[in-house]
Amino acid sequence: MPEFIEFIVKDIPSHQLHMRGGLMWLNRESINRYGENFSLIGKKEQLSIVDDISNPRQIENYSQGALFFNRIKNLVVTGYFTSKPGIEYLGYVGNQPNVWD
């Protein structure tokens, strides 16, 4: 999945500013709460930040984080459901030839 997101962000430059800003926001929020970058804090602490930015009732308090979360979520879902496991999960078989009488 990281490879897909990297490809899309490189391929569509309009994503780059939002992704960089979102990652900076995530690290800043993590440092403010826990004194460490997001990648260095524990899973419980990471999930507490993600829970806040993914909660629609918290959007006013975490608007920048929520925008970043929604962008990442959309890229992850797109990446998964356009991958082989995602297509298999959906049971999508594509167009199939018919027998016409």
Side-chain angles (χ1 to χ4, degrees):
M1 193 60 56
E3 296 85 10
F4 172 79
I5 293 173
E6 179 184 6
F7 171 78
I8 291 297
V9 171
K10 285 180 178 177
D11 193 49
I12 304 171
S14 62
H15 282 298
Q16 293 173 8
L17 181 63
H18 299 289
M19 295 300 287
R20 288 180 185 137
L23 291 170
M24 287 174 37
W25 181 92
L26 197 60
N27 275 329
R28 188 175 62 244
E29 184 67 20
S30 178
I31 289 168
N32 289 341
R33 290 188 191 191
Y34 304 110
E36 296 273 6
N37 282 335
F38 186 78
S39 63
L40 300 176
I41 61 176
K43 189 172 203 122
K44 180 180 175 186
E45 290 81 12
Q46 288 176 339
L47 288 175
S48 74
I49 295 173
V50 172
D51 285 344
D52 287 342
I53 64 176
S54 65
N55 183 343
R57 291 182 289 266
Q58 292 285 356
I59 288 187
E60 290 178 17
N61 300 329
Y62 300 104
S63 61
Q64 294 298 321
L67 290 171
F68 173 68
F69 177 79
N70 285 332
R71 188 174 297 266
I72 283 286
K73 177 179 64 173
N74 290 337
L75 288 171
V76 168
V77 169
T78 300
Y80 178 72
F81 286 110
T82 57
S83 70
K84 185 174 180 173
I87 291 170
E88 288 173 358
Y89 172 79
L90 290 174
Y92 180 71
V93 294
N95 294 332
Q96 299 290 317
N98 287 344
V99 175
W100 292 86
D101 292 331

